Amino acid sequence: MASLQISDAAGSLFYSERTLGLSRSSGLHDPGPVRWELAICLLAAWVIIFLCCLKGIRSSGKIVYVTATFPYLVLIVLIIRGATLKGSLQGVQFYLSTNWKRLGSAQ
């Protein structure tokens, strides 16, 4: 249980400090400096959206084809990666097994 709390605290700390950069701001009235990694990512997303809109309706079929199939490709890659990890079979067995006593004692 302690390792879960430590990893949760580490994840929360990484998100607040590294991603959002909250350590460099004093509150909502002072958001801190611009996060250039996030600003460049936002700019790239808007450039891609602009280029998609620039081509018009003719290219929307191709765009939908890519955006509809890409999540499935990522999902297949993640499933393969997860299946090759050590202890993955025990995790699947735990997921598929049911402990009826714990289900009967809802808290």
Side-chain angles (χ1 to χ4, degrees), residues 68-101:
T69 57
F70 185 70
Y72 292 109
L73 177 67
V74 171
L75 185 64
I76 289 170
V77 168
L78 289 176
I79 287 173
I80 292 170
R81 171 67 177 130
T84 60
L85 291 174
K86 182 179 176 183
S88 63
L89 195 56
Q90 289 85 12
V92 171
Q93 288 173 348
F94 178 76
Y95 175 70
L96 294 177
S97 65
T98 305
N99 188 350
W100 294 105
K101 292 180 182 178

Side-chain angles (χ1 to χ4, degrees), residues 16-77:
S16 64
E17 298 294 326
R18 175 77 175 114
T19 305
L20 297 178
L22 294 180
S23 62
R24 290 173 264 177
S25 77
S26 60
L28 290 176
H29 63 279
D30 178 30
V34 174
R35 304 283 305 167
W36 289 109
E37 301 91 1
L38 297 177
I40 290 171
C41 183
L42 182 65
L43 178 68
W46 276 108
V47 167
I48 291 171
I49 290 170
F50 174 75
L51 292 175
C52 291
C53 293
L54 186 67
K55 287 287 189 174
I57 196 72
R58 293 173 298 191
S59 67
S60 66
K62 296 173 189 171
I63 295 166
V64 168
Y65 181 72
V66 170
T67 58
T69 57
F70 185 70
Y72 292 109
L73 177 67
V74 171
L75 185 64
I76 289 170
V77 168

